[in-house]
Amino acid sequence: MSMHIGDSPEEAAFRAEVRAWLSQHAAPRSDDGGNWHDDLHAHSIACKKWQRVLFNNGWAGISWPKQFGGRGGSHLQESIFNEEQAKFETHTGLFAVSLGMVGPTLMAHGTPEQQEVFLPKMLSGEHVWCQLFSEPNAGSDLANVATRAIEDGDDFIVNGQKVWTSMGQFADYGILLTRTEPDAPKHKGITYFIVDMKTPGIEVRPLVQMTGVAHFNEVFLTDVRIPKANIVGGLHGGWAVANTTLTSERGFIGGGSSSWSVDELIDFARERGLDKDPVVRGKLAECYARAQTLTYLGYRLRTAASNRTMPGPEMFVMKLAYAQHWSRTMDVAMEIAGAHGMISGDAAGDAMHWQHNLLGQFAIRLGGGTNEVQQNIIGERGLGLPREPSVDRDQPWRSLAKG
Amino acid sequence: MSMHIGDSPEEAAFRAEVRAWLSQHAAPRSDDGGNWHDDLHAHSIACKKWQRVLFNNGWAGISWPKQFGGRGGSHLQESIFNEEQAKFETHTGLFAVSLGMVGPTLMAHGTPEQQEVFLPKMLSGEHVWCQLFSEPNAGSDLANVATRAIEDGDDFIVNGQKVWTSMGQFADYGILLTRTEPDAPKHKGITYFIVDMKTPGIEVRPLVQMTGVAHFNEVFLTDVRIPKANIVGGLHGGWAVANTTLTSERGFIGGGSSSWSVDELIDFARERGLDKDPVVRGKLAECYARAQTLTYLGYRLRTAASNRTMPGPEMFVMKLAYAQHWSRTMDVAMEIAGAHGMISGDAAGDAMHWQHNLLGQFAIRLGGGTNEVQQNIIGERGLGLPREPSVDRDQPWRSLAKG
Amino acid sequence: MNFDLSDEQQVISDLAAQIFSGQSTVERVIEVESGDGFDRTLWNELAKAGLLGLCLPEEHSGLNMNMVELALVLEQQGKTVASVPLWSTSIGSMAVAEYGSKDVRSSLLPAVVEGKNVVALALANYGANDVMNPSVTATDTDGGVKLSGGKPAVSFAQHASHVLVSAKRADDSIVLALVDLKAPGVTITPVEASNRQPTANIEFDVTVPATHIVAGLEGNGREALRWVHEHALVGLCALQLGISQGAIGIMSDHVKTRTQFNKPLSAQQAVAVRAADQFVTTEAIRVTTLNAAWRMSEGFDARQDVLVAMYWATEGGHSIVIACQHLHGGIGADISYPVHRYFLWGIQISTELGGASQHLSRLGKLIASR
Amino acid sequence: MNFDLSDEQQVISDLAAQIFSGQSTVERVIEVESGDGFDRTLWNELAKAGLLGLCLPEEHSGLNMNMVELALVLEQQGKTVASVPLWSTSIGSMAVAEYGSKDVRSSLLPAVVEGKNVVALALANYGANDVMNPSVTATDTDGGVKLSGGKPAVSFAQHASHVLVSAKRADDSIVLALVDLKAPGVTITPVEASNRQPTANIEFDVTVPATHIVAGLEGNGREALRWVHEHALVGLCALQLGISQGAIGIMSDHVKTRTQFNKPLSAQQAVAVRAADQFVTTEAIRVTTLNAAWRMSEGFDARQDVLVAMYWATEGGHSIVIACQHLHGGIGADISYPVHRYFLWGIQISTELGGASQHLSRLGKLIASR
């Protein structure tokens, strides 16, 4: 098959079909990138509504096998759909965890019953999922989770605290990492559960961020009872399952559609009378170059996803490049914004949009593992550097100092 | 005493005196920064000649006490002298190690006899000194030196290999770090010697660098006999003495006069017709800002040297800022040079000067400890971060794996 | 040559440190933030200590000091992100003392020293924001100057008694006017600022009496605006110096105590190195700010020096607060944790009165056209 | 959509890898460096494998491939810093094949494929070096064009049979001429290049017959020069991609094996992170270079794509070779250790045909004036 960087005739036809359908079912994207930041609740309702439209029209889970209610299409088709969808005023963020992370994990590791019960309702938008992974002392070092799950008859009883649970306040189900064997080394005593968020003992507390909204939550678990049937990947076998979830997350964060584009930034510079400034032009060019690069890195990932199993360090490269691109572009945007860059609220106009994204950069830098975690993985997988000597890999988790 | 950023009236008078003397004894600096890189031998002769002129006129060792043959002046006066001297076509590099590192070390740790024998001839330029510290497996980790010194009557017999010995091919004496107690922890079994470079068993092999010259040397020591009287700082007490030497080196590298200036870079841009290019102007401005910053960091160090003992992290800050400034400026210079930047030799004209400095940046980045070593020290002393956990601090040196 | 603070300067710095760290605790900052955004208790303490008249003439009850001392005090404010209009009040009142008529000086300054008058600064402009090219227009009238037009993002406008505003006549000459914010024809529209300080846009349709035209009646408007601009910039640098130190302090504590992979973050790959780089940049802000403030205090031309300091305060300060925020990981995103305020202030100061490119452009022009 | 190489492209890449890594060992590079700087043995191998006619038409014994395949081969050259004039000969002969008269094609190309003719490229200019504004002047004469003026730093000029040179008429129209380097009126002055490849300045005072005016007789000079320029730039990107990988490979081996403080360098603070960043940048060079080469091969407008790739090849390539050199510590300064050649080549390519700012300026103009 020869190299082809762009749509093949079949892909172009698919794209045209998608665009035609979208233009009938959604409004064109507004200038401010769909400024839904301010009202998460309204956003969540819009997401559910749109997911239902997708599902009813056969566009939900484009790359998912038909047996799970998907369209049975290719990853490439899904990417094309997402690209086109981003040009319309559509709301999708509520299902990022469900479709991007939980779905692939359950397809890979779930029992047939779990797949049958949960996957279709994920696609239809009936169930919203959240991720209960990070803890106050288990961030980059996720394998350090301390939330305890203790066997009790046909159930486990769970106690602990989770943080950075995106959209947790809207979730029906969660995927949950727990410690079930404290005397095993830390990677080997973890169990992965599906948990119904309405189970007694679960309290979700929103965390307000700099942007003024509470995208993330703390989740407290007190004597939460979960049936054994909800274990994914076997008792103490949760680490491998978590890795499937995380790999999906990194791909999502690296390749997700943005709330902004370099074209919009160029327009912004033009409105501010700076598009002829040679220094600003050079900076816009750098942003453009980075955006193009991400496009091609994305093309390469798609090719890999179509032709083979998931590649080595490419996904981590993409995620790092994306975080850099986001942060650099926002710096340029704030320079262009000038005094306007300091004002929030309606008075700020377009500048507000960029400020939101500036403040939002840390979710990109930190989600799916910090930049530093990615860099270490690239060092190992891309350059063959030895893993950083670890003092805690083989010791019982219980014996490690807790931070 | 009130803040005064610049010469006081007394200092201005001293500067005028210095300038008057210099203009009688030296030619103004040429445009290419005194392009002595090509002929080290001629350079070494010119250095000796100039040092003798300084000595005969009472300008050698301005801040050295009179008892050691110095002028008994202040550090500030010495800085003023160096600043003015840099505006003239003077050669001084050969004595950088002698005066900048060995002198201060012997004044602090030498025996009265060592001080009496060596210091005056250092000042007069009769003796050239070199540093025999680094080894193939002891670079950043200098305390890992493996060159062995074994007691034999009134002498020690030394075997080993040293590298990166600056100007070693011209040196009369060297300061030498050796391992005298392999069973002690690595910092505690090191002895610091003065060695006559004409002692049998010393072989100096020049290392040609990218610039085409051999500023550095490898030095092989085979059964080299050194009298015990040449120990500085006591048997096994060499590490503290070495630290005095290194601190002096960092100050020298951070504050030494450069072979280039931002003014020259601006002139270069003007010659190339790029001084009105807004992007180039912005880059020149950044270089200028960095240069000014180094000036004030230097002022602060001088103030500290005049008023108190040597400060905490300031010297390391200066060295890092200097390395960054050098490297950034050379990047800008090569952009300005364009196609000329790729040509060496006479045909290159001014571009050659900048290319030399581009290639020379690694000496600045690595001399006196790599940037990373400085950053770790700043982390400890500036921010109070705990020292990186060391696996080898307290174990016998002999038991450590050798790289 | 002496780069050290004098004993007197050290006293001022210590006094300011004591007041700000004593009064403006994290709890207090949160309390003020949830109120009207002006810490009046702290403001009164500063007045009592004489710090509101630090650089004002003795005849108006001031301490007659200069920009270095003010920088030392603003540095301490930045360290605690205390919400008081010290920067604008100090710079604005200094401009009045330097250029204003006897009338305006006597009416404004003693009340500033007592903490009763608060001055806002309206130097930034709508559009491409060239401070030397004001967007408010000035028209001479009988006995005064009429101002028309708007100024964006004036901090503390809603709490100030006066605003020092720059305006431009049709012939491009410049006027600096001290406007009473209660005067009819002044419209204040509060806006949200990123750093959550009280901030408003102001529209002017007002005639200012000649007594309150601080500069520009006698052709000295441009020079006076440049003077105010340079002092304002150095004030921002000093604030940013404090903000950088505050952010680095919180970050250092975090990386020392936060354990991941069974060792402190500061012992993880790259964390210590990145932290050290922020320290180096802070030192660059420090020495260049002190130098610019000192040259100004001595009456030397400080144009290039101010731009050098501003380069570090914008480019460097920006990267410091981003790094400190980043090194906190998820914890930093929680706004009940204090580091984010330093991030917001740092970003704000990096854009207030122009970003790094703008300062480098001006500096480049100065040095390349020598 | 397919970003993978085709089987045929993979074969070309493997073949090139085998030839370059087999022939151009570190020892051989040193040997060639101490001789005349042209590895003729390797050149003959490349000819035998057909790689010198890779992108030339079949009628002239070429393989009729295009820029992607050439990029794959140049990447392998970069990895081994092999000293052969593959870049200039390929681009120069491709330009002749694309624009040249039948006469010049038949006389030049078959001998290029056989390895007998070597083509140099004289695109850079004295002064501010705008490639589209040649410093050699062209004057039409009877039956040809007279060239006057000089070109700096032409690599392999002293070993080439021909040079493709850009020149400008008084009316600003452009001429591309293939000049016989043995012709009277051509003066070759060898100069030292930073990357130690044979290089010379050339002075022209020569009349080129119309048959050897490759473009510009019929008003297509500017278009042809742009074509050559873009192809030459992508060729440089591909070389830089190889150089970056070579440098990173040596650096990785070093930090894995070099022990300091009783553990490998790669486990020291910041080393692994910095190494990883270089990998990310190399991947950026790779995907943008492949994209630009592919678009060119397909005949699409690739102006912006070439500049994006050049941005990474210059800015990114430059920082990669500096980081790799730096991470070697003192060892890298010893020129008997191979990493410094990658540094020198990387620096050279970063300045050849303009630095990063120049490419960003052009790109900025294109995207902002849409």
Side-chain angles (χ1 to χ4, degrees):
Chain A
M1 195 179 155
S2 58
M3 177 178 271
H4 193 96
I5 305 178
D7 290 346
S8 69
E10 298 75 29
E11 290 154 8
F14 180 78
R15 189 183 295 276
E17 180 192 351
V18 166
R19 197 177 299 171
W21 181 82
L22 282 165
S23 60
Q24 283 178 351
H25 292 81
R29 174 167 166 162
S30 66
D31 266 1
D32 62 358
N35 218 334
W36 52 264
H37 316 274
D38 295 332
D39 188 345
L40 266 193
H41 183 69
H43 170 63
S44 76
I45 291 172
C47 286
K48 284 186 181 179
K49 200 171 146 196
W50 178 243
Q51 185 65 26
R52 170 58 68 175
V53 172
L54 292 178
F55 185 75
N56 289 342
N57 288 272
W59 293 114
I62 292 173
S63 69
W64 288 27
K66 287 189 173 162
Q67 63 176 117
F68 300 131
R71 189 186 176 94
S74 68
H75 286 282
L76 203 50
Q77 288 180 331
E78 188 156 305
S79 305
I80 290 172
F81 188 90
N82 290 340
E83 275 176 11
E84 293 303 315
Q85 183 177 245
K87 296 172 188 161
F88 291 84
E89 194 77 13
T90 52
H91 293 248
T92 56
L94 185 68
F95 294 99
V97 171
S98 311
L99 303 176
M101 299 164 64
V102 182
T105 305
L106 291 189
M107 286 189 261
H109 299 280
T111 64
E113 295 72 27
Q114 290 168 343
Q115 292 171 342
E116 196 181 328
V117 171
F118 294 114
L119 292 174
K121 292 188 175 170
M122 221 177 266
L123 276 190
S124 68
E126 190 174 334
H127 289 167
V128 176
W129 287 70
C130 68
Q131 185 197 41
L132 301 161
F133 278 20
S134 292
E135 298 179 8
N137 288 316
S140 292
D141 185 10
L142 186 60
N144 195 35
V145 285
T147 292
R148 274 293 262 136
I150 293 175
E151 201 170 348
D152 184 57
D154 285 344
D155 301 332
F156 273 78
I157 295 178
V158 178
N159 282 280
Q161 184 195 343
K162 296 290 178 176
V163 288
W164 316 123
T165 300
S166 170
M167 297 291 197
Q169 65 270 60
F170 303 109
D172 302 291
Y173 287 90
I175 46 176
L176 171 70
L177 289 189
T178 64
R179 173 80 42 204
T180 40
E181 178 47 285
D183 292 314
K186 65 179 180 178
H187 297 91
K188 296 183 179 163
I190 293 173
T191 299
Y192 189 116
F193 285 97
I194 292 168
V195 58
D196 183 336
M197 292 297 284
K198 288 179 294 295
T199 314
I202 299 184
E203 187 196 351
V204 178
R205 290 188 204 156
L207 283 170
V208 179
Q209 296 157 260
M210 281 191 278
T211 52
V213 292
H215 184 82
F216 295 110
N217 300 269
E218 294 178 295
V219 177
F220 295 85
L221 301 116
T222 312
D223 293 335
V224 176
R225 189 168 281 276
I226 307 178
K228 285 182 180 170
N230 283 14
I231 291 176
V232 184
L235 187 65
H236 313 325
W239 185 244
V241 187
N243 269 323
T244 299
T245 309
L246 292 173
T247 308
S248 309
E249 180 179 18
R250 287 177 188 124
F252 174 73
I253 289 179
S257 64
S258 278
S259 48
W260 52 271
S261 73
V262 174
D263 279 351
E264 289 169 355
L265 185 63
I266 296 170
D267 288 342
F268 185 45
R270 193 170 294 129
E271 285 160 28
R272 308 260 312 129
L274 291 166
D275 58 317
K276 298 216 164 23
D277 179 309
V279 175
V280 170
R281 278 191 172 179
K283 295 193 173 193
L284 290 173
E286 194 196 321
C287 295
Y288 176 84
R290 289 177 181 276
Q292 292 301 102
T293 306
L294 281 165
T295 302
Y296 311 133
L297 287 171
Y299 286 176
R300 190 170 61 162
L301 269 184
R302 283 187 211 170
T303 301
S306 307
N307 296 0
R308 311 181 281 274
T309 52
M310 224 42 195
E314 287 91 339
M315 182 178 284
F316 302 93
V317 167
M318 175 124 188
K319 202 254 165 184
L320 267 179
Y322 190 64
Q324 281 169 3
H325 176 48
W326 189 297
S327 137
R328 294 277 197 115
T329 305
M330 293 316 133
D331 292 351
V332 176
M334 294 316 281
E335 277 226 38
I336 292 171
H340 275 273
M342 309 178 305
I343 313 177
S344 310
D346 291 341
D350 278 0
M352 173 75 184
H353 171 49
W354 295 106
Q355 190 185 110
H356 246 295
N357 289 318
L358 172 78
L359 302 182
Q361 68 179 291
F362 297 99
I364 304 299
R365 286 160 171 261
L366 303 168
T370 63
N371 286 354
E372 289 76 8
V373 167
Q374 319 280 340
Q375 284 163 323
N376 280 327
I377 294 175
I378 289 172
E380 283 172 32
R381 302 198 195 162
L383 301 173
L385 303 183
R387 191 183 270 276
E388 199 179 356
S390 168
V391 291
D392 64 353
R393 256 196 111 65
D394 302 314
Q395 292 175 50
W397 177 80
R398 196 194 288 280
S399 71
L400 301 175
K402 298 299 176 292
Chain B
M1 195 181 155
S2 58
M3 176 178 273
H4 192 96
I5 305 179
D7 290 347
S8 69
E10 299 75 30
E11 289 155 8
F14 179 78
R15 190 183 294 276
E17 179 191 351
V18 167
R19 197 176 301 170
W21 182 82
L22 281 165
S23 60
Q24 283 178 351
H25 291 80
R29 175 168 164 160
S30 65
D31 267 359
D32 63 357
N35 217 334
W36 52 263
H37 315 273
D38 297 330
D39 188 345
L40 267 194
H41 184 71
H43 171 61
S44 76
I45 292 171
C47 286
K48 285 187 181 180
K49 200 171 146 196
W50 178 243
Q51 186 64 25
R52 170 57 69 175
V53 172
L54 292 177
F55 185 76
N56 288 343
N57 288 271
W59 292 114
I62 291 174
S63 69
W64 288 28
K66 287 190 173 162
Q67 63 176 114
F68 301 131
R71 191 184 174 95
S74 67
H75 285 283
L76 202 50
Q77 288 180 330
E78 188 157 305
S79 305
I80 291 172
F81 188 89
N82 290 341
E83 276 176 9
E84 293 303 316
Q85 184 178 243
K87 298 172 188 162
F88 291 83
E89 193 77 13
T90 51
H91 292 248
T92 57
L94 186 68
F95 294 99
V97 170
S98 311
L99 304 175
M101 300 164 65
V102 182
T105 305
L106 291 189
M107 287 189 262
H109 300 278
T111 64
E113 294 72 25
Q114 289 168 344
Q115 293 172 341
E116 196 181 326
V117 172
F118 294 114
L119 293 174
K121 291 189 175 170
M122 220 177 269
L123 276 189
S124 67
E126 191 173 332
H127 289 168
V128 175
W129 289 68
C130 67
Q131 185 197 40
L132 301 160
F133 278 22
S134 293
E135 298 179 6
N137 288 316
S140 292
D141 185 10
L142 186 59
N144 195 35
V145 284
T147 293
R148 275 292 264 135
I150 294 175
E151 202 170 349
D152 185 57
D154 287 342
D155 300 331
F156 274 78
I157 296 178
V158 178
N159 282 282
Q161 184 196 342
K162 296 290 178 176
V163 287
W164 316 122
T165 299
S166 170
M167 297 291 199
Q169 65 270 60
F170 303 110
D172 302 291
Y173 287 90
I175 47 177
L176 171 71
L177 290 189
T178 63
R179 174 82 39 204
T180 40
E181 178 48 283
D183 293 315
K186 64 179 181 177
H187 297 92
K188 296 182 178 163
I190 294 172
T191 299
Y192 189 117
F193 285 98
I194 293 168
V195 58
D196 184 335
M197 293 297 284
K198 287 179 293 295
T199 315
I202 298 183
E203 187 196 350
V204 179
R205 289 188 206 157
L207 283 171
V208 179
Q209 298 157 257
M210 281 191 278
T211 51
V213 291
H215 184 82
F216 295 109
N217 300 269
E218 293 178 295
V219 178
F220 295 83
L221 302 116
T222 312
D223 294 334
V224 175
R225 188 167 282 274
I226 307 179
K228 285 181 180 173
N230 282 14
I231 291 176
V232 184
L235 188 63
H236 312 325
W239 185 245
V241 187
N243 268 323
T244 299
T245 308
L246 292 173
T247 308
S248 309
E249 179 179 17
R250 288 176 188 126
F252 173 73
I253 288 179
S257 63
S258 279
S259 48
W260 53 272
S261 73
V262 175
D263 278 351
E264 288 169 356
L265 185 63
I266 296 171
D267 289 342
F268 184 44
R270 192 170 295 126
E271 285 159 27
R272 307 262 310 132
L274 291 167
D275 57 319
K276 299 217 165 21
D277 179 307
V279 176
V280 170
R281 276 190 172 179
K283 296 194 172 193
L284 290 173
E286 193 196 322
C287 295
Y288 175 83
R290 289 178 181 275
Q292 291 301 103
T293 306
L294 281 165
T295 302
Y296 311 132
L297 288 171
Y299 285 175
R300 191 169 62 161
L301 270 184
R302 282 187 213 172
T303 301
S306 304
N307 296 1
R308 313 181 280 274
T309 52
M310 225 41 197
E314 288 91 337
M315 182 178 284
F316 302 93
V317 168
M318 175 121 185
K319 202 256 164 182
L320 266 179
Y322 190 64
Q324 281 169 1
H325 176 48
W326 189 297
S327 136
R328 294 277 197 115
T329 306
M330 292 316 134
D331 291 352
V332 176
M334 294 317 281
E335 277 225 37
I336 293 172
H340 275 273
M342 309 178 303
I343 313 176
S344 309
D346 291 341
D350 278 359
M352 174 74 185
H353 171 48
W354 295 105
Q355 189 184 110
H356 247 294
N357 288 319
L358 173 79
L359 303 182
Q361 68 178 291
F362 296 98
I364 304 299
R365 286 160 171 259
L366 304 169
T370 63
N371 286 353
E372 289 76 9
V373 167
Q374 319 278 340
Q375 285 163 322
N376 280 327
I377 294 175
I378 288 172
E380 284 172 31
R381 302 197 195 164
L383 301 174
L385 303 184
R387 190 184 272 273
E388 199 180 354
S390 168
V391 291
D392 64 353
R393 257 197 110 65
D394 302 315
Q395 293 174 47
W397 177 80
R398 197 193 289 278
S399 72
L400 302 174
K402 297 301 177 287
Chain C
M1 157 73 58
N2 180 31
F3 213 90
D4 282 350
L5 302 183
S6 69
D7 293 343
E8 197 179 30
Q9 288 165 336
Q10 193 60 55
V11 167
I12 295 289
S13 175
D14 292 345
L15 174 64
Q18 192 193 324
I19 295 174
F20 280 107
S21 65
Q23 299 278 327
S24 190
T25 58
V26 174
E27 296 71 32
R28 176 64 182 157
V29 167
I30 293 169
E31 188 185 339
V32 170
E33 210 172 74
S34 63
D36 73 356
F38 183 4
D39 189 344
R40 285 188 179 76
T41 314
L42 172 59
W43 192 247
N44 291 333
E45 286 297 315
L46 293 169
K48 257 190 259 171
L51 295 180
L52 299 183
L54 190 68
C55 304
L56 297 178
E58 281 172 15
E59 56 172 313
H60 301 300
S61 324
L63 294 180
N64 208 25
M65 294 189 174
N66 213 318
M67 210 46 218
V68 174
E69 291 78 11
L70 179 59
L72 296 172
V73 177
L74 289 171
E75 177 189 355
Q76 296 304 326
Q77 182 191 355
K79 270 192 194 170
T80 58
V81 291
S83 195
V84 287
L86 182 62
W87 171 70
S88 62
T89 300
S90 300
I91 304 294
S93 61
M94 285 163 74
V96 168
E98 182 80 16
Y99 291 98
S101 66
K102 199 162 182 320
D103 279 0
V104 73
R105 281 189 278 135
S106 317
S107 74
L108 182 80
L109 300 183
V112 162
V113 175
E114 287 175 47
K116 289 181 189 155
N117 277 349
V118 167
V119 184
L121 272 185
L123 300 179
N125 300 293
Y126 287 108
N129 191 23
D130 176 358
V131 169
M132 297 310 292
N133 186 22
S135 54
V136 168
T137 60
T139 320
D140 293 313
T141 63
D142 280 354
V145 176
K146 181 170 192 317
L147 304 181
S148 322
K151 289 280 188 170
V154 178
S155 77
F156 279 91
Q158 53 268 68
H159 300 306
S161 56
H162 299 80
V163 60
L164 186 71
V165 54
S166 57
K168 197 175 66 171
R169 292 197 186 85
D171 67 357
D172 270 5
S173 68
I174 281 175
V175 165
L176 266 187
L178 186 75
V179 179
D180 185 334
L181 282 163
K182 306 281 177 304
V186 177
T187 313
I188 298 174
T189 311
V191 294
E192 294 165 46
S194 344
N195 72 351
R196 306 203 193 119
Q197 289 214 309
T199 301
N201 295 342
I202 311 182
E203 284 293 320
F204 298 93
D205 181 17
V206 64
T207 298
V208 183
T211 50
H212 281 59
I213 301 304
V214 175
L217 288 182
E218 294 145 20
N220 63 343
R222 189 163 293 272
E223 178 218 319
L225 177 55
R226 179 165 290 129
W227 190 99
V228 177
H229 186 200
E230 286 185 359
H231 282 73
L233 288 177
V234 173
L236 290 180
C237 292
L239 278 169
Q240 191 77 306
L241 173 60
I243 288 161
S244 299
Q245 288 173 81
I248 288 177
I250 296 174
M251 177 272 287
S252 299
D253 286 345
H254 174 71
V255 301
K256 266 183 268 190
T257 51
R258 169 86 171 159
T259 298
Q260 293 277 281
F261 302 105
N262 219 34
K263 50 183 182 178
L265 273 188
S266 61
Q268 313 284 349
Q269 279 280 6
V271 170
V273 162
R274 187 146 188 216
D277 282 342
Q278 311 320 313
F279 185 86
V280 172
T281 306
T282 305
E283 293 304 292
I285 302 177
R286 182 192 307 284
V287 297
T288 56
T289 299
L290 276 177
N291 172 65
W294 181 80
R295 284 189 65 88
M296 240 168 212
S297 300
E298 298 290 312
F300 296 140
D301 177 4
R303 270 197 294 176
Q304 297 185 13
D305 306 84
V306 170
L307 293 172
V308 166
M310 260 329 257
Y311 164 68
W312 287 110
T314 49
E315 182 84 14
H318 182 98
S319 57
I320 289 169
V321 295
I322 285 195
C324 290
Q325 184 75 30
H326 176 87
L327 288 171
H328 275 84
I331 289 168
D334 176 1
I335 61 169
S336 62
Y337 188 88
V339 75
H340 75 283
R341 282 191 194 83
Y342 292 85
F343 173 75
L344 293 174
W345 279 55
I347 295 293
Q348 174 130 3
I349 286 182
S350 300
T351 48
E352 186 129 23
L353 305 187
S357 303
Q358 207 178 323
H359 302 301
L360 282 184
S361 285
R362 288 176 59 207
L363 181 57
K365 210 165 168 177
L366 287 174
I367 61 170
S369 55
R370 276 174 316 191
Chain D
M1 158 73 59
N2 180 30
F3 214 89
D4 282 349
L5 301 184
S6 68
D7 292 344
E8 195 180 29
Q9 288 166 336
Q10 193 61 56
V11 167
I12 295 289
S13 175
D14 293 346
L15 173 66
Q18 190 194 327
I19 294 174
F20 280 107
S21 66
Q23 298 280 325
S24 190
T25 58
V26 174
E27 296 70 33
R28 176 63 183 159
V29 166
I30 293 169
E31 188 185 339
V32 171
E33 209 172 76
S34 64
D36 71 358
F38 183 3
D39 189 342
R40 285 188 179 76
T41 313
L42 171 60
W43 192 247
N44 291 333
E45 286 297 315
L46 293 169
K48 255 190 261 170
L51 295 179
L52 299 183
L54 189 68
C55 305
L56 297 179
E58 281 172 15
E59 58 173 307
H60 301 299
S61 324
L63 295 180
N64 207 28
M65 293 190 175
N66 214 318
M67 211 47 216
V68 174
E69 291 78 11
L70 179 59
L72 296 172
V73 177
L74 288 170
E75 178 190 353
Q76 297 303 327
Q77 183 191 355
K79 271 192 194 170
T80 57
V81 291
S83 196
V84 287
L86 182 62
W87 171 71
S88 62
T89 300
S90 301
I91 305 293
S93 60
M94 285 163 74
V96 168
E98 182 80 16
Y99 291 98
S101 66
K102 197 159 184 317
D103 279 1
V104 72
R105 282 189 276 134
S106 320
S107 75
L108 182 81
L109 302 182
V112 162
V113 176
E114 286 174 48
K116 289 180 188 155
N117 277 347
V118 167
V119 185
L121 272 185
L123 299 179
N125 300 292
Y126 288 108
N129 191 24
D130 175 359
V131 169
M132 296 310 293
N133 186 21
S135 54
V136 167
T137 60
T139 319
D140 293 314
T141 62
D142 281 354
V145 175
K146 182 171 191 316
L147 304 181
S148 322
K151 289 278 188 171
V154 178
S155 77
F156 279 91
Q158 52 268 67
H159 300 306
S161 56
H162 299 79
V163 60
L164 185 72
V165 54
S166 57
K168 198 176 67 171
R169 291 198 187 86
D171 66 358
D172 270 5
S173 68
I174 282 176
V175 165
L176 267 186
L178 187 75
V179 178
D180 185 335
L181 282 161
K182 306 282 178 303
V186 177
T187 314
I188 299 173
T189 311
V191 293
E192 294 165 47
S194 344
N195 73 350
R196 305 202 193 121
Q197 289 213 310
T199 300
N201 295 342
I202 311 183
E203 284 293 321
F204 297 94
D205 182 17
V206 64
T207 299
V208 183
T211 49
H212 282 60
I213 300 304
V214 175
L217 286 183
E218 294 145 24
N220 64 343
R222 189 164 293 272
E223 178 219 318
L225 177 54
R226 180 164 292 129
W227 190 98
V228 177
H229 186 198
E230 287 184 1
H231 283 73
L233 288 177
V234 173
L236 288 180
C237 292
L239 278 169
Q240 191 77 306
L241 173 60
I243 288 162
S244 299
Q245 289 174 81
I248 288 176
I250 296 175
M251 178 272 287
S252 299
D253 286 344
H254 174 69
V255 301
K256 265 183 269 191
T257 50
R258 169 89 171 155
T259 298
Q260 293 277 280
F261 302 106
N262 219 35
K263 50 183 181 179
L265 274 188
S266 60
Q268 315 282 352
Q269 280 279 3
V271 169
V273 163
R274 188 147 189 217
D277 281 343
Q278 310 321 312
F279 185 85
V280 172
T281 307
T282 305
E283 293 304 292
I285 303 176
R286 182 192 308 283
V287 296
T288 55
T289 299
L290 276 177
N291 173 65
W294 181 80
R295 285 189 63 87
M296 239 168 215
S297 299
E298 296 291 311
F300 296 141
D301 177 3
R303 269 196 296 177
Q304 298 184 13
D305 306 85
V306 170
L307 292 172
V308 166
M310 258 331 255
Y311 165 67
W312 286 111
T314 49
E315 183 84 13
H318 181 99
S319 57
I320 290 169
V321 296
I322 285 195
C324 291
Q325 184 77 29
H326 176 86
L327 288 171
H328 275 85
I331 288 167
D334 177 0
I335 60 170
S336 62
Y337 188 87
V339 75
H340 76 282
R341 280 190 196 86
Y342 292 84
F343 173 75
L344 293 174
W345 277 56
I347 296 293
Q348 173 130 2
I349 286 181
S350 300
T351 48
E352 185 129 24
L353 305 186
S357 304
Q358 207 178 321
H359 301 301
L360 283 184
S361 285
R362 287 177 58 208
L363 180 57
K365 211 165 168 179
L366 286 175
I367 61 169
S369 55
R370 276 176 314 190

